C-alpha cells in the first residue's frame, strides 16, 4: 500500500471541511474510570488470595474484640451483681436487727404485762380468801376497798380520830317515809280503788 498523506487544509473557501469532534467530558471521565477498573482487576488477579486472607484476619480480630468486650461487660455485671447482693444482704441484716430489737421490746412489755396480770390474779385470790374468812367469822366485808387502801385508811383514821358530834343528823330517829310519820308534809298514800271507766 502506498503511503497516503493527509494534509489538513483550513481553508474556509474549500467545500470540504473537517470538523474536529467536540471535547466531551463524559467520555473522558469514562476513560479515567476504565483505567482504575483495569488496575483493580490486575490487583485482584495478582494479590486476590492475599486480600482474602487479610479480610478474614480482620474479621476474626473483630470477633475476638467483641467477645472480649462481652466478657468484660459480663464480669462487670457480675461484679455489680455481687455488690448489689452485698448491699441487699446488709439491708436484710439491718432489718433483721431492727426486728430483733422490736421483738425484745415487745417481749419485755409482755413480761411486764404478765407480771401485772399475775399480781392482779394473786390479789383477787387473796381477796376471795379474806372474804371467805370474814364470812366464816360472821363479819361483813367491803369488796370495793382494796387492801392497800384499807391499810392507808386505817392508819389515817388512827392518827386523826376526832368525834364529829357538832353536826346535826338530817332526820330524826323516828322518821319512816312509808308511814308518813316524822313531820314531813309529803307522805305515801295508796291509790284509790275506783272502777275504771271504759266502754
Amino acid at each position: 500500500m502506498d503511503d497516503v498523506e493527509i494534509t489538513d487544509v483550513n481553508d474556509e473557501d474549500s467545500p470540504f471541511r473537517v470538523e474536529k469532534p467536540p471535547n466531551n467530558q463524559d467520555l473522558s471521565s469514562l476513560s479515567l474510570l476504565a483505567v482504575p477498573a483495569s488496575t483493580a482487576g490486575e490487583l485482584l488477579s495478582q494479590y486476590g488470595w492475599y486480600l482474602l486472607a487479610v479480610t478474614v484476619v480482620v474479621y476474626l480480630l473483630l470477633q475476638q474484640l467483641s467477645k472480649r468486650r462481652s466478657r468484660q461487660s459480663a464480669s462487670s455485671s457480675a461484679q455489680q451483681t455481687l455488690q448489689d447482693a452485698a448491699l441487699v444482704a446488709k439491708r436484710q441484716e439491718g432489718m433483721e436487727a431492727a426486728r430483733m430489737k422490736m421483738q425484745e421490746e415487745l417481749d419485755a412489755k409482755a413480761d411486764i404485762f404478765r407480771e401485772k396480770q399475775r399480781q392482779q390474779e394473786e390479789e383477787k385470790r387473796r381477796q376471795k380468801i379474806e372474804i371467805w374468812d370474814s364470812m366464816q367469822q360472821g363479819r361483813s366485808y367491803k369488796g370495793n376497798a382494796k387492801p392497800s387502801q384499807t391499810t392507808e385508811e386505817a392508819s389515817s383514821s388512827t392518827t386523826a380520830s376526832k368525834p364529829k358530834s357538832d353536826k346535826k343528823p338530817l332526820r330524826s330517829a323516828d322518821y319512816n317515809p312509808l308511814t308518813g310519820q316524822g313531820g314531813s308534809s309529803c307522805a305515801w298514800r295508796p291509790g284509790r280503788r275506783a272502777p275504771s271507766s271504759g266502754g
Side-chain angles (χ1 to χ4, degrees), residues 194-199:
S196 63
S197 61

Side-chain angles (χ1 to χ4, degrees), residues 14-54:
S14 78
F16 302 104
R17 264 176 79 175
V18 178
E19 294 183 12
K20 292 182 181 178
N23 194 2
N24 194 348
Q25 293 178 353
D26 294 334
L27 295 176
S28 63
S29 65
L30 284 177
S31 64
L32 290 176
L33 287 177
V35 171
S38 65
T39 308
E42 289 175 11
L43 284 175
L44 283 176
S45 66
Q46 289 178 0
Y47 304 109
W49 289 109
Y50 298 115
L51 290 174
L52 181 64
V54 167

Side-chain angles (χ1 to χ4, degrees), residues 112-187:
I112 292 170
F113 179 75
R114 276 191 235 118
E115 183 65 27
K116 285 182 181 178
Q117 288 289 93
R118 190 185 62 78
Q119 287 176 358
Q120 287 177 356
E121 289 174 4
E122 183 69 26
E123 185 68 27
K124 286 179 184 178
R125 187 182 67 80
R126 194 181 60 74
Q127 285 180 359
K128 286 181 182 179
I129 291 171
E130 286 181 6
I131 291 171
W132 179 256
D133 288 341
S134 65
M135 291 175 84
Q136 290 292 328
Q137 294 174 2
R139 293 180 290 160
S140 67
Y141 179 77
K142 289 184 179 179
N144 296 342
K146 291 187 177 178
S148 61
Q149 291 176 350
T150 55
T151 56
E152 289 175 5
E153 289 174 1
S155 64
S156 65
S157 65
T158 56
T159 57
S161 58
K162 294 182 182 178
K164 297 181 180 178
S165 61
D166 49 339
K167 288 189 177 180
K168 287 199 256 179
L170 294 175
R171 297 180 188 95
S172 63
D174 61 343
Y175 174 73
N176 188 354
L178 294 177
T179 59
Q181 298 171 356
S184 72
S185 61
C186 298

Side-chain angles (χ1 to χ4, degrees), residues 4-10 18:
V4 179
E5 251 185 69
I6 300 175
T7 58
D8 193 12
V9 180
N10 286 334
V18 178

